[in-house]
Amino acid sequence: MATMDKRQQFSGMVQEHQAITQQIAALQSQLSELEATVDYVKSQPEDRAIYRNAGAVLVEVDDRASLQNDLKSTIERVTLALERYVTRENEIKAAYETLAKELEGSK
């Protein structure tokens, strides 16, 4: 592969790595928020109302168990997405390092 093509590929990897890093941070933040929400729901007394977003309005939750199941399901989906992004990040890092060594060797 020509050095110019390798540089373009390297640049693309850097951009993809930055995008993935941002996604990982966003998913980690979302996961923390979801876990805090689960803890909050568990800590609230049964006689105290809990609300959830339904579009642009808040609606009182009648079935806390259903809400907790929804939250746990969302946590599982976010965790799986996070794992996929971390795996991809590691793949890009490895390819990035290999390509960087190739570029250094072609100077």
Side-chain angles (χ1 to χ4, degrees):
M1 183 182 297
T3 301
M4 189 59 129
D5 290 340
K6 286 183 180 182
R7 286 189 179 134
Q8 288 175 339
Q9 184 180 5
F10 186 79
S11 177
M13 283 182 189
V14 169
Q15 289 175 353
E16 185 177 359
H17 183 261
Q18 290 171 341
I20 287 174
T21 301
Q22 290 172 349
Q23 280 289 3
I24 288 172
L27 287 170
Q28 288 171 332
S29 176
Q30 184 179 4
L31 190 57
S32 293
E33 187 176 315
L34 285 164
E35 290 169 343
T37 301
V38 167
D39 290 342
Y40 177 78
V41 169
K42 286 180 184 177
S43 72
Q44 291 305 300
E46 288 294 324
D47 62 339
R48 193 154 188 201
I50 293 181
Y51 298 87
R52 88 184 301 168
N53 285 332
V57 297
L58 291 175
V59 178
E60 188 172 350
V61 173
D62 292 328
D63 185 359
R64 288 182 184 217
S66 176
L67 173 63
Q68 288 179 326
N69 287 336
D70 289 349
L71 290 168
K72 287 178 185 176
S73 175
T74 302
I75 287 172
E76 289 172 7
R77 285 193 313 273
V78 170
T79 300
L80 287 174
L82 183 58
E83 289 170 358
R84 285 193 303 269
Y85 276 108
V86 168
T87 298
R88 182 64 185 142
E89 179 187 35
N90 290 334
E91 291 169 352
I92 290 172
K93 279 182 186 176
Y96 173 94
E97 290 169 2
T98 300
L99 193 55
K101 287 177 185 173
E102 288 177 18
L103 285 170
E104 283 181 16
S106 67
K107 286 184 180 179

XYZ file of all heavy atoms in Angstrom:
845
model
N 0.855 -1.176 0.000
C 0.000 0.000 0.000
C 0.898 1.236 0.000
O 1.870 1.311 0.735
C -0.904 -0.029 1.244
C -1.892 1.110 1.306
S -2.937 1.122 2.787
C -3.844 -0.382 2.649
N 0.551 2.219 -0.813
C 1.341 3.449 -0.909
C 1.286 4.218 0.405
O 0.312 4.147 1.151
C 0.823 4.315 -2.051
N 2.360 4.950 0.671
C 2.452 5.711 1.912
C 1.293 6.697 2.044
O 0.734 6.871 3.134
C 3.797 6.458 1.986
O 4.847 5.495 1.903
C 3.931 7.214 3.282
N 0.902 7.339 0.926
C -0.210 8.298 0.982
C -1.519 7.611 1.367
O -2.287 8.125 2.171
C -0.361 9.011 -0.371
C -1.351 10.147 -0.302
S -0.838 11.345 0.934
C -0.936 12.808 -0.001
N -1.743 6.404 0.814
C -2.937 5.642 1.170
C -2.915 5.261 2.643
O -3.937 5.300 3.325
C -3.046 4.375 0.320
C -3.365 4.665 -1.139
O -3.871 5.772 -1.438
O -3.113 3.785 -1.976
N -1.738 4.897 3.142
C -1.607 4.534 4.558
C -1.886 5.738 5.452
O -2.509 5.608 6.495
C -0.221 3.972 4.849
C -0.011 2.579 4.317
C 1.360 2.060 4.694
C 1.573 0.660 4.147
N 2.878 0.115 4.534
N -1.423 6.897 5.010
C -1.684 8.112 5.802
C -3.174 8.430 5.839
O -3.703 8.852 6.868
C -0.883 9.284 5.256
C 0.580 9.189 5.585
C 1.324 10.458 5.220
N 2.717 10.316 5.584
C 3.723 10.651 4.811
N 3.516 11.187 3.635
N 4.971 10.485 5.223
N -3.842 8.253 4.722
C -5.287 8.489 4.681
C -6.010 7.475 5.569
O -6.942 7.824 6.296
C -5.802 8.415 3.243
C -5.396 9.603 2.403
C -5.807 9.446 0.944
O -6.047 8.353 0.453
N -5.883 10.583 0.250
N -5.582 6.237 5.489
C -6.165 5.201 6.334
C -5.925 5.527 7.811
O -6.819 5.386 8.641
C -5.562 3.837 5.987
C -6.180 2.686 6.746
C -5.554 1.351 6.378
O -4.586 1.280 5.624
N -6.091 0.284 6.932
N -4.722 5.973 8.124
C -4.365 6.347 9.492
C -5.262 7.487 9.979
O -5.798 7.451 11.085
C -2.888 6.758 9.531
C -2.358 7.020 10.904
C -2.012 5.968 11.736
C -2.186 8.321 11.361
C -1.505 6.212 13.011
C -1.691 8.562 12.634
C -1.343 7.504 13.456
N -5.444 8.484 9.125
C -6.295 9.621 9.469
C -7.734 9.165 9.721
O -8.389 9.615 10.668
C -6.250 10.650 8.344
O -7.118 11.724 8.625
N -8.208 8.252 8.887
C -9.555 7.710 9.077
C -9.688 6.960 10.390
O -10.710 7.057 11.076
N -8.640 6.215 10.749
C -8.651 5.484 12.019
C -8.689 6.439 13.203
O -9.388 6.188 14.187
C -7.427 4.582 12.125
C -7.496 3.347 11.329
S -5.989 2.384 11.636
C -6.167 1.139 10.394
N -7.936 7.520 13.104
C -7.915 8.511 14.182
C -9.319 9.096 14.362
O -9.823 9.203 15.489
C -6.881 9.621 13.899
C -7.047 10.787 14.869
C -5.471 9.061 13.979
N -9.964 9.434 13.264
C -11.313 10.003 13.334
C -12.304 8.991 13.902
O -13.148 9.330 14.736
C -11.762 10.475 11.963
C -11.027 11.703 11.484
C -11.402 12.077 10.052
O -12.113 11.368 9.360
N -10.881 13.214 9.606
N -12.210 7.744 13.446
C -13.117 6.709 13.953
C -12.877 6.477 15.447
O -13.827 6.326 16.218
C -12.938 5.408 13.176
C -13.946 4.346 13.585
C -13.841 3.061 12.787
O -13.004 2.961 11.876
O -14.614 2.139 13.100
N -11.610 6.484 15.850
C -11.292 6.294 17.263
C -11.882 7.419 18.112
O -12.434 7.182 19.186
C -9.773 6.207 17.463
C -9.395 5.930 18.880
N -9.003 6.926 19.732
C -9.374 4.778 19.592
C -8.751 6.401 20.915
N -8.968 5.103 20.860
N -11.778 8.644 17.630
C -12.354 9.778 18.361
C -13.868 9.641 18.490
O -14.429 9.878 19.561
C -11.996 11.091 17.671
C -10.535 11.465 17.792
C -10.142 12.659 16.926
O -10.828 13.009 15.982
N -9.014 13.270 17.257
N -14.522 9.240 17.411
C -15.979 9.074 17.440
C -16.383 7.961 18.410
O -17.338 8.112 19.188
C -16.501 8.772 16.041
N -15.650 6.871 18.382
C -15.952 5.749 19.273
C -15.705 6.143 20.725
O -16.493 5.796 21.613
C -15.140 4.503 18.872
C -15.738 3.924 17.589
C -15.112 3.460 19.979
C -14.959 2.786 16.995
N -14.642 6.880 20.979
C -14.345 7.337 22.337
C -15.486 8.205 22.867
O -15.884 8.074 24.033
C -13.011 8.104 22.369
O -11.973 7.234 21.905
C -12.673 8.583 23.757
N -16.013 9.063 22.024
C -17.148 9.900 22.424
C -18.389 9.054 22.708
O -19.111 9.302 23.676
C -17.451 10.939 21.346
C -16.401 12.015 21.230
C -16.620 12.934 20.037
O -17.444 12.672 19.165
N -15.859 14.020 19.993
N -18.636 8.054 21.874
C -19.780 7.167 22.090
C -19.635 6.394 23.400
O -20.593 6.226 24.144
C -19.942 6.177 20.924
C -20.614 6.758 19.730
C -22.103 7.008 19.979
O -22.642 6.794 21.063
N -22.764 7.506 18.968
N -18.427 5.924 23.665
C -18.179 5.190 24.911
C -18.462 6.081 26.117
O -19.121 5.663 27.071
C -16.738 4.626 24.943
C -16.615 3.466 23.953
C -16.341 4.191 26.355
C -15.203 2.963 23.748
N -17.988 7.302 26.074
C -18.232 8.237 27.183
C -19.725 8.486 27.358
O -20.228 8.504 28.498
C -17.490 9.548 26.935
N -20.439 8.666 26.255
C -21.884 8.914 26.329
C -22.615 7.699 26.899
O -23.513 7.839 27.741
C -22.436 9.265 24.947
N -22.226 6.505 26.467
C -22.872 5.288 26.969
C -22.544 5.052 28.441
O -23.410 4.621 29.210
C -22.455 4.079 26.123
C -23.059 4.019 24.724
C -22.387 2.935 23.893
C -24.563 3.796 24.779
N -21.314 5.337 28.845
C -20.960 5.197 30.263
C -21.771 6.150 31.124
O -22.234 5.789 32.210
C -19.463 5.426 30.465
C -18.613 4.299 29.944
C -17.127 4.601 29.952
O -16.705 5.752 29.843
N -16.307 3.560 30.051
N -21.960 7.355 30.635
C -22.763 8.340 31.350
C -24.220 7.878 31.444
O -24.843 7.968 32.508
C -22.675 9.691 30.638
O -23.514 10.627 31.250
N -24.741 7.385 30.334
C -26.120 6.898 30.318
C -26.283 5.715 31.264
O -27.267 5.624 31.997
C -26.508 6.499 28.898
C -27.954 6.080 28.757
C -28.317 5.713 27.315
O -27.472 5.697 26.421
N -29.571 5.419 27.101
N -25.307 4.827 31.278
C -25.362 3.663 32.152
C -25.352 4.082 33.623
O -26.132 3.567 34.426
C -24.186 2.733 31.845
C -24.180 1.361 32.474
C -25.436 0.582 32.125
C -22.948 0.591 32.028
N -24.511 5.025 33.961
C -24.464 5.527 35.345
C -25.800 6.142 35.744
O -26.289 5.916 36.858
C -23.362 6.564 35.496
O -22.103 5.973 35.335
N -26.372 6.907 34.843
C -27.662 7.536 35.118
C -28.761 6.485 35.306
O -29.592 6.599 36.212
C -28.025 8.479 33.972
C -29.266 9.300 34.228
C -29.535 10.298 33.115
O -28.595 10.983 32.671
O -30.698 10.377 32.690
N -28.761 5.478 34.468
C -29.764 4.410 34.592
C -29.617 3.659 35.909
O -30.607 3.356 36.579
C -29.646 3.437 33.419
C -30.177 3.932 32.085
C -29.657 3.065 30.949
C -31.694 3.972 32.093
N -28.371 3.360 36.280
C -28.141 2.650 37.542
C -28.570 3.494 38.735
O -29.150 2.981 39.696
C -26.675 2.230 37.645
C -26.328 1.125 36.665
C -24.840 0.850 36.529
O -24.021 1.709 36.942
O -24.494 -0.223 35.993
N -28.325 4.789 38.664
C -28.761 5.684 39.736
C -30.288 5.739 39.792
O -30.878 5.790 40.887
C -28.192 7.088 39.521
N -30.929 5.698 38.657
C -32.393 5.711 38.599
C -32.962 4.447 39.234
O -33.938 4.512 39.995
C -32.888 5.851 37.147
O -32.364 7.063 36.597
C -34.400 5.882 37.078
N -32.365 3.298 38.943
C -32.814 2.041 39.546
C -32.687 2.127 41.065
O -33.620 1.754 41.799
C -32.019 0.835 38.987
C -32.249 -0.416 39.825
C -32.379 0.577 37.540
N -31.565 2.627 41.547
C -31.366 2.771 42.994
C -32.404 3.714 43.594
O -32.944 3.458 44.671
C -29.956 3.288 43.296
C -28.886 2.255 42.992
O -29.214 1.056 42.884
O -27.709 2.656 42.854
N -32.687 4.801 42.887
C -33.670 5.775 43.370
C -35.054 5.134 43.468
O -35.755 5.292 44.465
C -33.703 6.991 42.439
C -34.748 8.003 42.833
C -34.526 8.881 43.876
C -35.964 8.054 42.172
C -35.486 9.800 44.255
C -36.937 8.969 42.540
C -36.695 9.839 43.584
O -37.665 10.729 43.955
N -35.437 4.410 42.432
C -36.763 3.769 42.425
C -36.866 2.772 43.579
O -37.882 2.725 44.277
C -37.035 3.082 41.068
C -38.271 2.181 41.138
C -37.203 4.127 39.963
N -35.808 2.000 43.811
C -35.808 1.022 44.907
C -35.915 1.695 46.264
O -36.512 1.153 47.196
C -34.538 0.178 44.865
C -34.510 -0.851 43.775
C -33.200 -1.616 43.828
C -33.081 -2.601 42.694
N -31.783 -3.285 42.697
N -35.340 2.883 46.396
C -35.291 3.545 47.703
C -36.563 4.317 48.046
O -36.730 4.716 49.199
C -34.098 4.502 47.761
O -34.331 5.636 46.943
N -37.429 4.511 47.073
C -38.638 5.292 47.331
C -39.710 4.449 48.015
O -39.987 3.323 47.600
C -39.201 5.860 46.022
C -38.342 6.928 45.417
C -38.073 8.058 46.396
O -38.982 8.712 46.877
N -36.799 8.266 46.704
N -40.329 4.999 49.052
C -41.418 4.282 49.723
C -42.580 4.038 48.754
O -42.810 4.816 47.829
C -41.857 5.244 50.839
C -40.770 6.251 50.963
C -40.058 6.300 49.656
N -43.283 2.954 48.979
C -44.400 2.576 48.105
C -45.498 3.641 48.061
O -46.183 3.778 47.055
C -45.005 1.243 48.557
C -44.126 0.050 48.259
C -43.958 -0.220 46.770
O -44.912 -0.027 46.004
O -42.849 -0.614 46.388
N -45.667 4.395 49.146
C -46.732 5.399 49.185
C -46.338 6.709 48.494
O -47.134 7.636 48.411
C -47.176 5.662 50.623
C -46.054 6.225 51.491
O -44.877 6.049 51.135
O -46.379 6.829 52.529
N -45.129 6.771 47.994
C -44.651 7.972 47.319
C -44.704 7.773 45.804
O -44.239 6.749 45.288
C -43.220 8.254 47.754
C -42.747 9.602 47.363
C -41.671 10.024 48.303
N -41.376 11.407 48.023
C -40.258 11.981 48.348
N -39.344 11.296 48.990
N -40.048 13.240 48.062
N -45.256 8.723 45.103
C -45.416 8.612 43.650
C -44.078 8.693 42.928
O -43.167 9.397 43.351
C -46.340 9.717 43.148
N -43.991 7.944 41.852
C -42.846 8.001 40.948
C -43.404 8.321 39.569
O -44.447 7.797 39.170
C -42.073 6.666 40.921
C -41.408 6.426 42.272
C -41.045 6.653 39.802
C -40.611 5.152 42.346
N -42.673 9.167 38.845
C -43.114 9.585 37.519
C -42.064 9.199 36.487
O -40.890 9.075 36.792
C -43.330 11.107 37.481
C -44.410 11.556 38.429
C -44.108 11.855 39.758
C -45.729 11.664 38.006
C -45.101 12.263 40.636
C -46.729 12.065 38.885
C -46.405 12.358 40.193
O -47.389 12.750 41.067
N -42.548 9.037 35.254
C -41.629 8.757 34.148
C -42.023 9.622 32.971
O -43.175 10.034 32.847
C -41.612 7.278 33.802
C -42.653 6.851 32.789
C -42.738 5.379 32.474
N -41.525 4.808 31.965
C -41.328 3.512 31.842
N -42.260 2.657 32.193
N -40.197 3.058 31.365
N -41.050 9.912 32.136
C -41.316 10.702 30.937
C -42.148 9.899 29.950
O -41.871 8.728 29.708
C -40.012 11.103 30.236
C -39.281 12.198 30.946
O -39.888 13.013 31.629
N -37.977 12.223 30.792
N -43.133 10.568 29.391
C -43.919 10.002 28.297
C -44.032 11.118 27.265
O -44.960 11.932 27.311
C -45.284 9.541 28.776
N -43.053 11.196 26.412
C -43.004 12.313 25.463
C -42.638 13.577 26.214
O -41.644 13.628 26.919
N -43.490 14.588 26.103
C -43.210 15.880 26.728
C -43.865 16.035 28.098
O -43.823 17.110 28.683
C -43.670 17.001 25.802
N -44.471 14.970 28.616
C -45.155 15.064 29.909
C -44.628 13.983 30.863
O -44.039 12.992 30.443
C -46.684 14.907 29.762
C -47.270 16.022 28.936
C -47.054 13.563 29.190
N -44.855 14.215 32.152
C -44.550 13.218 33.162
C -45.835 12.483 33.524
O -46.875 13.109 33.724
C -43.972 13.868 34.416
C -42.584 14.467 34.279
C -42.186 15.183 35.566
C -41.567 13.384 33.956
N -45.732 11.163 33.613
C -46.893 10.333 33.929
C -46.556 9.525 35.174
O -45.453 8.976 35.291
C -47.206 9.383 32.748
C -48.373 8.474 33.081
C -47.471 10.170 31.476
N -47.513 9.454 36.087
C -47.287 8.678 37.301
C -47.204 7.196 36.962
O -47.975 6.676 36.166
C -48.418 8.914 38.307
C -48.136 8.285 39.657
C -49.154 8.665 40.721
O -49.986 9.559 40.489
O -49.103 8.048 41.795
N -46.249 6.525 37.592
C -46.048 5.095 37.365
C -46.946 4.308 38.306
O -46.896 4.505 39.518
C -44.562 4.719 37.601
C -44.357 3.220 37.541
C -43.671 5.446 36.624
N -47.762 3.437 37.737
C -48.635 2.590 38.549
C -47.963 1.264 38.895
O -48.210 0.695 39.951
C -49.949 2.295 37.803
C -50.812 3.536 37.638
O -50.779 4.409 38.528
O -51.519 3.628 36.611
N -47.133 0.776 37.987
C -46.514 -0.539 38.143
C -44.998 -0.385 38.272
O -44.272 -0.330 37.291
C -46.873 -1.398 36.927
C -46.389 -2.827 37.034
O -45.739 -3.177 38.056
O -46.652 -3.600 36.095
N -44.526 -0.310 39.495
C -43.088 -0.119 39.738
C -42.260 -1.295 39.235
O -41.140 -1.118 38.754
C -42.818 0.098 41.221
C -43.276 1.445 41.704
C -42.943 1.621 43.164
N -43.479 2.899 43.627
C -42.870 3.676 44.478
N -41.721 3.320 44.999
N -43.410 4.810 44.847
N -42.793 -2.496 39.362
C -42.049 -3.673 38.897
C -41.808 -3.582 37.392
O -40.717 -3.897 36.908
C -42.806 -4.949 39.239
N -42.805 -3.139 36.659
C -42.662 -2.974 35.213
C -41.617 -1.904 34.900
O -40.795 -2.078 33.984
C -44.012 -2.596 34.599
O -43.869 -2.346 33.225
N -41.642 -0.817 35.657
C -40.650 0.243 35.465
C -39.240 -0.298 35.726
O -38.320 -0.059 34.946
C -40.938 1.428 36.395
C -39.885 2.532 36.414
C -39.763 3.190 35.042
C -40.221 3.575 37.480
N -39.076 -1.042 36.803
C -37.769 -1.604 37.119
C -37.312 -2.588 36.037
O -36.140 -2.602 35.668
C -37.784 -2.270 38.490
C -37.839 -1.255 39.623
C -37.873 -1.886 40.996
O -38.445 -2.954 41.176
N -37.269 -1.218 41.957
N -38.240 -3.382 35.511
C -37.892 -4.303 34.427
C -37.476 -3.534 33.179
O -36.519 -3.923 32.496
C -39.055 -5.241 34.104
C -39.245 -6.294 35.174
O -38.319 -6.628 35.908
N -40.450 -6.818 35.273
N -38.181 -2.450 32.866
C -37.826 -1.613 31.721
C -36.428 -1.023 31.902
O -35.621 -1.011 30.968
C -38.839 -0.483 31.520
C -40.187 -0.957 31.011
O -40.297 -2.137 30.604
O -41.132 -0.142 31.027
N -36.145 -0.532 33.101
C -34.834 0.048 33.388
C -33.730 -1.007 33.273
O -32.679 -0.756 32.679
C -34.818 0.695 34.769
C -35.634 1.979 34.918
C -35.778 2.352 36.392
C -35.003 3.114 34.135
N -33.980 -2.188 33.820
C -32.980 -3.263 33.747
C -32.737 -3.680 32.296
O -31.600 -3.920 31.895
C -33.429 -4.462 34.584
C -33.307 -4.220 36.067
C -33.798 -5.398 36.874
C -33.771 -5.069 38.357
N -34.328 -6.143 39.179
N -33.805 -3.741 31.517
C -33.672 -4.088 30.098
C -32.850 -3.032 29.358
O -31.986 -3.363 28.531
C -35.065 -4.214 29.476
O -34.975 -4.438 28.105
N -33.106 -1.780 29.670
C -32.342 -0.694 29.044
C -30.879 -0.760 29.461
O -29.975 -0.569 28.636
C -32.956 0.675 29.400
O -34.323 0.693 28.977
C -32.208 1.805 28.722
N -30.625 -1.054 30.721
C -29.246 -1.204 31.210
C -28.543 -2.324 30.448
O -27.389 -2.172 30.038
C -29.216 -1.457 32.734
C -29.549 -0.166 33.478
C -27.863 -2.016 33.181
C -29.736 -0.340 34.977
N -29.231 -3.425 30.225
C -28.632 -4.541 29.485
C -28.287 -4.130 28.055
O -27.206 -4.450 27.558
C -29.581 -5.740 29.480
C -29.699 -6.424 30.826
C -30.791 -7.484 30.861
O -31.392 -7.798 29.805
O -31.051 -8.009 31.963
N -29.201 -3.421 27.391
C -28.953 -2.976 26.011
C -27.783 -1.997 25.951
O -26.918 -2.095 25.069
C -30.210 -2.344 25.407
C -31.268 -3.348 25.006
C -32.348 -2.736 24.127
N -32.877 -1.481 24.602
C -33.874 -1.327 25.459
N -34.469 -2.386 25.958
N -34.294 -0.128 25.815
N -27.743 -1.061 26.884
C -26.658 -0.076 26.902
C -25.325 -0.768 27.206
O -24.301 -0.457 26.593
C -26.951 1.056 27.918
C -25.739 1.948 28.119
C -28.150 1.883 27.454
N -25.339 -1.723 28.120
C -24.124 -2.465 28.464
C -23.597 -3.238 27.254
O -22.391 -3.231 26.985
C -24.385 -3.422 29.646
O -24.796 -2.649 30.777
C -23.148 -4.234 29.997
N -24.495 -3.871 26.508
C -24.075 -4.602 25.308
C -23.493 -3.654 24.265
O -22.459 -3.956 23.648
C -25.251 -5.381 24.714
C -25.692 -6.619 25.489
C -26.972 -7.206 24.870
C -24.592 -7.662 25.499
N -24.141 -2.532 24.070
C -23.628 -1.543 23.110
C -22.260 -1.044 23.560
O -21.338 -0.916 22.744
C -24.610 -0.381 22.972
N -22.114 -0.782 24.842
C -20.836 -0.318 25.388
C -19.743 -1.364 25.155
O -18.632 -1.026 24.739
C -20.994 -0.015 26.877
C -19.794 0.542 27.606
C -19.308 1.835 26.972
C -20.139 0.777 29.078
N -20.058 -2.626 25.390
C -19.082 -3.694 25.170
C -18.654 -3.756 23.701
O -17.472 -3.944 23.401
C -19.656 -5.038 25.614
C -19.782 -5.172 27.110
C -20.571 -6.400 27.552
O -21.071 -7.170 26.681
O -20.704 -6.606 28.766
N -19.616 -3.593 22.784
C -19.285 -3.608 21.352
C -18.374 -2.439 20.991
O -17.411 -2.604 20.236
C -20.558 -3.569 20.497
C -21.299 -4.901 20.461
C -22.364 -4.927 19.385
N -23.337 -3.866 19.519
C -24.479 -3.936 20.190
N -24.798 -5.058 20.810
N -25.313 -2.924 20.233
N -18.670 -1.266 21.531
C -17.827 -0.099 21.247
C -16.423 -0.267 21.820
O -15.439 0.106 21.183
C -18.463 1.189 21.774
C -19.464 1.786 20.824
C -20.816 1.734 21.088
C -19.055 2.423 19.650
C -21.739 2.281 20.212
C -19.965 2.983 18.773
C -21.315 2.904 19.056
O -22.218 3.451 18.181
N -16.317 -0.820 23.019
C -14.998 -1.027 23.630
C -14.201 -2.038 22.801
O -13.001 -1.846 22.562
C -15.133 -1.478 25.101
C -13.810 -1.980 25.663
C -15.661 -0.323 25.955
N -14.864 -3.091 22.338
C -14.198 -4.070 21.482
C -13.698 -3.408 20.204
O -12.550 -3.598 19.796
C -15.161 -5.225 21.132
O -15.526 -5.891 22.338
C -14.516 -6.219 20.179
N -14.555 -2.596 19.587
C -14.161 -1.906 18.355
C -13.017 -0.926 18.627
O -12.096 -0.808 17.832
C -15.361 -1.182 17.737
C -15.039 -0.484 16.441
C -14.643 -1.452 15.353
N -14.236 -0.710 14.161
C -13.249 -1.054 13.376
N -12.573 -2.158 13.588
N -12.941 -0.313 12.330
N -13.079 -0.246 19.765
C -12.008 0.685 20.126
C -10.669 -0.049 20.229
O -9.649 0.428 19.721
C -12.326 1.380 21.450
C -11.237 2.347 21.884
C -11.446 2.910 23.272
O -11.956 2.181 24.153
O -11.078 4.067 23.484
N -10.688 -1.225 20.845
C -9.459 -2.010 20.982
C -8.937 -2.470 19.621
O -7.726 -2.486 19.388
C -9.684 -3.198 21.911
C -9.875 -2.764 23.352
O -9.397 -1.711 23.764
N -10.603 -3.565 24.107
N -9.862 -2.848 18.729
C -9.456 -3.250 17.381
C -8.800 -2.088 16.647
O -7.770 -2.252 15.985
C -10.672 -3.737 16.584
C -11.250 -5.046 17.071
C -12.602 -5.362 16.445
O -13.177 -4.497 15.732
O -13.092 -6.478 16.667
N -9.412 -0.917 16.769
C -8.865 0.262 16.092
C -7.510 0.636 16.675
O -6.579 0.974 15.938
C -9.845 1.451 16.167
C -11.050 1.169 15.285
C -9.176 2.754 15.750
C -12.156 2.182 15.420
N -7.363 0.558 17.998
C -6.076 0.857 18.626
C -4.981 -0.055 18.088
O -3.879 0.396 17.780
C -6.159 0.697 20.151
C -6.753 1.855 20.877
C -6.730 1.569 22.377
C -7.442 2.605 23.170
N -7.483 2.268 24.611
N -5.287 -1.344 17.980
C -4.297 -2.303 17.497
C -3.920 -1.989 16.047
O -2.734 -1.965 15.691
C -4.822 -3.730 17.624
N -4.927 -1.739 15.217
C -4.666 -1.423 13.809
C -3.915 -0.100 13.685
O -3.015 0.045 12.860
C -5.979 -1.369 13.037
N -4.297 0.844 14.521
C -3.674 2.171 14.554
C -2.188 2.051 14.878
O -1.343 2.626 14.216
C -4.433 2.987 15.608
C -3.908 4.339 15.969
C -4.392 5.471 15.322
C -2.985 4.512 16.993
C -3.944 6.736 15.686
C -2.527 5.763 17.356
C -3.018 6.876 16.695
O -2.581 8.127 17.039
N -1.871 1.270 15.897
C -0.481 1.098 16.306
C 0.333 0.395 15.225
O 1.474 0.767 14.951
C -0.417 0.326 17.630
C -0.914 1.140 18.805
C -1.104 0.325 20.075
O -0.815 -0.890 20.084
O -1.560 0.915 21.073
N -0.253 -0.621 14.597
C 0.427 -1.340 13.515
C 0.710 -0.399 12.350
O 1.833 -0.367 11.816
C -0.423 -2.519 13.031
O -0.629 -3.415 14.125
C 0.239 -3.258 11.891
N -0.292 0.365 11.967
C -0.128 1.285 10.845
C 0.868 2.397 11.173
O 1.649 2.797 10.326
C -1.486 1.865 10.430
C -1.557 2.603 9.105
C -1.047 1.745 7.960
C -2.976 3.056 8.824
N 0.852 2.859 12.411
C 1.804 3.900 12.821
C 3.234 3.382 12.703
O 4.124 4.106 12.226
C 1.525 4.336 14.266
N 3.480 2.136 13.079
C 4.814 1.549 12.951
C 5.216 1.415 11.479
O 6.362 1.666 11.125
C 4.854 0.179 13.640
C 4.835 0.258 15.150
C 4.798 -1.108 15.783
C 4.647 -0.979 17.294
N 4.441 -2.263 17.941
N 4.230 1.032 10.645
C 4.519 0.924 9.205
C 4.878 2.284 8.628
O 5.802 2.389 7.823
C 3.315 0.351 8.465
C 3.059 -1.109 8.715
C 1.800 -1.603 8.019
O 1.303 -0.946 7.093
O 1.314 -2.681 8.406
N 4.150 3.304 9.051
C 4.432 4.652 8.544
C 5.787 5.145 9.026
O 6.512 5.800 8.285
C 3.318 5.620 8.955
C 2.006 5.475 8.180
C 0.913 6.308 8.840
C 2.183 5.884 6.729
N 6.121 4.846 10.267
C 7.442 5.239 10.787
C 8.557 4.535 10.023
O 9.596 5.131 9.730
C 7.550 4.907 12.276
C 6.831 5.862 13.171
C 6.983 5.492 14.646
O 7.876 4.680 14.984
O 6.219 6.030 15.454
N 8.328 3.282 9.664
C 9.332 2.517 8.944
C 9.507 2.957 7.505
O 10.549 2.731 6.897
N 8.490 3.632 6.934
C 8.573 4.048 5.528
C 9.147 5.442 5.358
O 9.225 5.940 4.251
C 7.178 3.975 4.884
O 6.313 4.945 5.453
N 9.530 6.085 6.461
C 10.106 7.456 6.373
C 11.488 7.424 5.810
O 12.297 6.612 5.980
C 10.098 8.125 7.753
C 8.731 8.540 8.169
C 8.815 9.288 9.484
C 7.417 9.718 9.918
N 7.450 10.414 11.164
